[in-house]
Amino acid sequence: MLKKRIIVCLDVKDGRTTKGVKFLNNVDIGDPVEMAAEYYRQGVDELVFYDIIASARGRGPILDLISKVASQVFIPFTVGGGINTIEDIRSTILAGAEKVSLNSPAVKNPDLIKEGARIFGNQCIVLGMDVRRDATKPSGYGTTIHGGRVDTGLDALEWAKKAVGLGAGEIVLNSMDADGTKDGYDVELTRMISEAVPVPVIASGGAGTPSHMTKVLTEGKADAALIATMVHSGKYTVNSIKEALSKDGVPVRL
């Protein structure tokens, strides 16, 4: 059976790791390079680095910081934020990322997914989705960009299917309604997208306990669970989470 992946997310603003609730009231919680090294020591399967203000400020990725983080971890490393062109994708991969996450730029220019997948391979192109419940959309969910500040008008399910058709090899599916709340993932949303696309779906937003992760990895059919607050707070380590998941019958790399 395929092992379920545990992925730690570092949201980075002005070179520091930050954490907020529903993308608001962010506070500085540490140095991303030191934190990456610590989570690698704890046995995390993958790491995601999001520059949460790059797109809004209209600038590219912070390559020197990406390179420093990459030097600390020997696991798959995904970078998102400010990756607007094929050259940005190339320079981010050369700086040490295995994958790039495209969110706002992909909505504005879907050909970036297609070209990125053609040049670098589907496995390198991750679709980042910031999704909110929206009763006006056919699926019940809409898609936002710029850290949830701009509604795209796109139905979440339709956009996920279109992006995968263009070449996205994986989806990080973030529930804006659940983000940072520690009340659990949006299992309904995760299952809907997971069942609709033939690529791995990473559940994001809302993890507070290992049982929340068990639920989204089983009932939600997610291939991986992304966490931040749970480990940033020091309440859990990656290893303690994996042990709890294993006891629940979830196959993980111990």
Side-chain angles (χ1 to χ4, degrees):
M1 186 182 281
L2 274 178
K3 298 278 198 286
K4 300 288 189 178
R5 292 171 288 148
I6 307 306
I7 302 172
V8 169
C9 178
L10 302 174
D11 285 331
V12 177
K13 180 181 180 183
D14 298 324
R16 300 284 292 175
T17 308
T18 181
K19 195 72 195 96
V21 176
K22 300 184 182 181
F23 285 42
L24 300 170
N25 305 317
N26 287 68
V27 292
D28 184 324
I29 56 170
D31 174 14
V33 180
E34 291 173 5
M35 292 173 77
E38 174 57 27
Y39 295 134
Y40 177 67
R41 278 194 294 273
Q42 289 181 19
V44 74
D45 297 311
E46 297 190 22
L47 199 68
V48 172
F49 172 113
Y50 285 136
D51 186 331
I52 62 170
I53 52 171
S55 288
R57 288 186 179 172
R59 64 159 168 74
I62 314 173
L63 298 175
D64 59 334
L65 184 57
I66 292 164
S67 180
K68 285 174 186 170
V69 172
S71 73
Q72 299 299 312
V73 298
F74 303 93
I75 49 175
F77 174 42
T78 301
V79 173
I83 299 170
N84 297 294
T85 65
I86 292 297
E87 194 45 54
D88 287 337
I89 296 175
R90 182 178 283 110
S91 59
T92 301
I93 290 170
L94 288 173
E98 273 80 20
K99 301 184 252 189
V100 295
S101 179
L102 305 176
N103 189 332
S104 305
V107 170
K108 293 174 183 175
N109 176 22
D111 277 347
L112 187 61
I113 300 172
K114 192 175 182 178
E115 275 298 285
R118 183 182 69 79
I119 296 168
F120 304 102
N122 301 62
Q123 78 286 348
C124 286
I125 307 299
V126 179
L127 177 71
M129 294 180 67
D130 290 325
V131 175
R132 273 202 183 96
R133 286 184 182 270
D134 183 345
T136 68
K137 299 291 187 291
S139 70
Y141 293 89
T143 308
T144 69
I145 56 173
H146 292 320
R149 291 184 288 275
V150 178
D151 182 2
T152 64
L154 293 169
D155 177 78
L157 181 59
E158 287 309 308
W159 173 230
K161 291 196 285 192
K162 179 181 177 180
V164 170
L166 287 168
E170 190 167 70
I171 294 175
V172 174
L173 181 64
N174 186 42
S175 166
M176 297 291 297
D177 304 298
D179 182 77
T181 63
K182 297 184 278 187
D183 293 332
Y185 296 89
D186 189 328
V187 174
E188 179 188 352
L189 167 67
T190 308
R191 184 171 56 243
M192 177 180 71
I193 301 294
S194 295
E195 289 178 344
V197 296
V199 300
V201 172
I202 300 163
S204 172
T209 66
S211 62
H212 291 152
M213 299 170 70
T214 295
K215 191 170 184 180
V216 84
L217 290 167
T218 55
E219 293 175 33
K221 301 188 177 180
D223 297 271
L226 187 141
I227 53 175
T229 308
M230 280 179 71
V231 286
H232 296 341
S233 66
K235 186 174 181 182
Y236 298 95
T237 63
V238 173
N239 200 43
S240 71
I241 290 168
K242 285 188 172 187
E243 285 174 355
L245 292 175
S246 185
K247 281 179 185 170
D248 285 344
V250 177
V252 290
R253 292 183 190 88
L254 290 169

